[in-house]
Amino acid sequence: MDTERGLNQGKADEALRSLFKEAGHSIAPEGMDARIFSRIAVTAPSGIATDRPIIPLGGWIGAGVIGVALIGSAVISPSATGAGWASQSLQKMPKLDLSGILTSPWVLAIVMGSIGLFALDSILSRRRPTSVTH
């Protein structure tokens, strides 16, 4: 408790009790509570930090768009697009074997971890109290 004076918890409690016995019971002056509350009301409230999700909604939408684009590029073949400039552009693009990438255990672990974090963030944000009352 107070190592400089050699007080432990029991000795500190006893010293506090004796201090209260010496001082005795006193009544606060009239209007003391009003003065305290007026000082509290004047002080500026500290900014309350609002909790934000780990990944914002825009991030999830962007990740979904990129995922759909990657899967779509793996599914669409240049021959299925027909003739024209689009099929010529697709034929010039390097071939990317997404089936090997998407079935990699590392990629699957990253995807499952992301889904788990999103679910945890959603659950915790629903259980978070909206306002704190004292």
Side-chain angles (χ1 to χ4, degrees):
M1 183 77 199
D2 190 0
T3 55
E4 294 174 5
R5 296 183 196 165
L7 295 177
N8 60 13
Q9 187 68 35
K11 290 181 181 179
D13 286 344
E14 190 58 40
L16 188 60
R17 283 191 190 100
S18 66
L19 179 65
F20 282 129
K21 285 179 185 176
E22 289 174 21
H25 180 72
S26 62
I27 298 174
E30 188 68 33
M32 178 82 145
D33 55 348
R35 287 193 306 252
I36 291 172
F37 286 128
S38 67
R39 285 186 183 176
I40 292 172
V42 172
T43 59
S46 62
I48 298 173
T50 57
D51 293 331
R52 287 181 268 167
I54 297 170
I55 300 174
L57 182 62
W60 288 107
I61 291 172
V65 168
I66 290 170
V68 168
L70 284 174
I71 292 171
S73 68
V75 171
I76 297 174
S77 65
S79 62
T81 60
W85 67 271
S87 66
Q88 292 171 359
S89 298
L90 286 174
Q91 288 174 356
K92 292 178 183 177
M93 289 178 62
K95 302 294 182 232
L96 180 63
D97 182 28
L98 285 180
S99 62
I101 294 172
L102 294 177
T103 57
S104 166
W106 291 100
V107 172
L108 292 176
I110 290 169
V111 169
M112 295 304 291
S114 300
I115 291 170
L117 285 175
F118 176 68
L120 180 66
D121 184 46
S122 298
I123 291 168
L124 292 176
S125 66
R126 285 191 193 120
R127 292 185 180 180
R128 187 177 304 128
T130 55
S131 63
V132 178
T133 57
H134 294 268

